[in-house]
Amino acid sequence: MRAALVQLCSGDDPAANLPETEALIRDAARQGADLILTPECTNIVSADRAQQRAVLAEEAEDATLARLRSVAGALGCWLVIGSLLLKAGDGDPRFVNRSFVIAPDGTIRARYDKIHLFDVTLADGESYRESAAIRPGDRAVTVAAAGWRLGLSICYDLRFPQLYRDLARAGARILTVPSAFTVPTGAAHWEVLLRARAVETGCFVLAPAQTGLHATRAGRARRTYGHSLAVAPSGEVLADAGEAIGITLVEIGGGEAMPPMRDRSRISGTSR
């Protein structure tokens, strides 16, 4: 299988971000990608909650989701939208950080809401409090796509190995980790944690990322680490996108995946 990692530098206007995202997806399909993956927060990168409330929509009304479903259907490819930030709806004032798996006919085959939210203050004083505005998910998700079973996750989930253990036990052979990692934590932990998750589970890991300086209309601009990675079950890095916006292609061979992991440790209560 040929997979394509789409590396973006999304700003705080979903309508302005969409054309470049679509262009890169189309380019990946032209180059023969069977499975195309975009990063976390494909539609918007912004810490301005007022801006988010002004420009975001609920899932049923989201223009980015509707357009990318149409594009996947037109191209006949599998598409993992790493995540979209959406209004939760149902009277809940919070947002959801939701990943979508889109089939070649444009239908949504799976949804996953980020479980572990990024609440941290970095050494340079930069602070994130996702839990203040985002409703966490409560279940792990696997889905059959492009001849493989994918186990879905998003960014900060990467630091919780039990989630990936459960995904592997549920049959996942590829783990997706779309992200918008900060530069300090990316430099320190991004590659080593992705390689660890691959080795621990015997799975391939595909991790498309946001990169660069994200322009904002108000407040401090955010910088992300980039370096979208593909990792083999052995822990070998198969591809590293560096810091540039664009697509990175990688061949995933069916014979390279390790047998499903088996051990006698207690399984957590994460649902599937």
Side-chain angles (χ1 to χ4, degrees), residues 6 55 61 72 234 245:
V6 176
V55 300
E61 301 169 350
S234 64
I245 296 169

Side-chain angles (χ1 to χ4, degrees), residues 58-138:
E58 295 179 27
E59 179 182 316
E61 301 169 350
D62 185 73
T64 299
L65 177 60
R67 181 58 189 167
L68 295 186
R69 288 181 63 186
S70 177
V71 169
L75 297 174
C77 64
W78 285 92
L79 174 63
V80 178
I81 304 173
S83 82
L84 300 174
L85 201 61
L86 303 167
K87 291 180 177 177
D90 300 323
D92 191 328
R94 293 176 293 178
F95 304 99
V96 292
N97 193 349
R98 180 169 294 163
S99 185
F100 294 89
V101 178
I102 311 299
D105 62 1
T107 59
I108 298 172
R109 293 295 177 88
R111 298 169 175 83
Y112 167 73
D113 287 359
K114 185 176 183 180
I115 293 174
H116 302 99
L117 301 182
F118 190 46
D119 288 358
V120 65
T121 300
L122 302 177
D124 63 1
E126 193 172 4
S127 180
Y128 298 88
R129 292 292 180 270
E130 284 188 336
S131 64
I134 295 176
R135 184 177 72 192
D138 60 4

Side-chain angles (χ1 to χ4, degrees), residues 244-262:
I245 296 169
I247 61 171
T248 299
L249 298 171
V250 61
E251 302 289 342
I252 303 294
E256 296 179 61
M258 295 182 179
M261 51 177 277
R262 302 179 186 277

